[in-house]
Amino acid sequence: MTPMDNRYRVIHADGREGDPIGSSELHRLVLDGKILPETLLLDCATQQQIRADAHPSLVVLFRRMGIAAPAPLPEPPSPAPAVPPPPSLDIPPPATNSWQADRLRLKRWLGVFFLVWLTGAGLWLLGANTPNLIEGGDTALAQTITTIGVTLFLSAIVPYVVSLVFAYRVQDKLNRAGLYRWGAWHVLVGGLILNPWGLGFLLPTRVLLTANKIERAERRGAPGSGKAL
């Protein structure tokens, strides 16, 4: 028996199967518009489902009637492969109690010390030499400048002490972390021995430069950056 002699059941949109019918009845249903190219037919002999436009005689009939099967829906584009985000170049902020955070505090306070110290020294020298620089200069003005300069120069002890405290904290944490071989005790001893208005600034400055060097080495990930200096 050829495919055109087989009997078929029409499968309706709701899934119901019609009674077995032959090719002539299929043709009539096509002409009546009750079978479309995409309608499913169940072959009673093979129990296989086919589209109506796959039936040998119906496909010819569809062509004669100028009926074409609806174009299949385009397949959705396949999702693009997930691209991992580039590694972030942002450097996380240092922890509040880390040596990096204390290094930043040391840097700020040491800057305040130098600003107050140098400004005071400059005004002190300017006021003291005003009568020599300007003949007949106002001595009251020179005295005022000198007083302001001396006050600033002496008040530099405040940011100096704060800088010394943070220098001690930075060096102590570096030593505990194994990043610096010397302990922090000599920072305080040296700060007490040296004149804070003279060479005392060398101690916190040296600690700051050492901490900067260690941090640069850690950022570059240089070999041996974790070894004690």
Side-chain angles (χ1 to χ4, degrees), residues 134-182:
I134 304 176
E135 184 176 355
D138 189 348
T139 56
L141 177 61
Q143 185 63 35
T144 301
I145 294 175
T146 302
T147 302
I148 295 174
V150 171
T151 303
L152 287 176
F153 187 78
L154 295 178
S155 64
I157 186 67
V158 176
Y160 172 78
V161 171
V162 178
S163 300
L164 207 62
V165 171
F166 283 118
Y168 173 85
R169 288 167 56 113
V170 170
Q171 185 151 319
D172 181 63
K173 292 175 181 178
L174 289 175
N175 178 259
R176 292 175 183 272
L179 297 175
Y180 194 67
R181 64 170 57 92
W182 303 108

Side-chain angles (χ1 to χ4, degrees), residues 9 11 13 15 30 35 73 79 105 117 125 127 133 140 148 164 168 170 172 196 203 211 213 219 222 226:
R9 293 178 182 270
I11 300 178
V30 170
I35 292 181
L73 294 176
R105 298 184 183 106
W117 183 55
L125 292 175
L133 297 175
I148 295 174
L164 207 62
Y168 173 85
V170 170
D172 181 63
L203 286 171
K213 180 179 179 181
R219 287 188 178 183

Side-chain angles (χ1 to χ4, degrees), residues 43-101:
D43 191 328
C44 295
T46 63
Q47 295 299 310
Q48 292 182 349
Q49 293 183 3
I50 62 171
R51 285 170 53 105
D53 57 1
H55 190 281
S57 64
L58 296 185
V59 67
V60 176
L61 182 59
F62 283 131
R63 289 175 182 171
R64 290 177 181 174
M65 296 174 61
I67 300 176
L73 294 176
E75 296 183 1
S78 57
V83 179
S88 176
L89 299 179
D90 295 335
I91 299 173
T96 305
N97 199 34
S98 66
W99 67 264
Q100 293 94 334

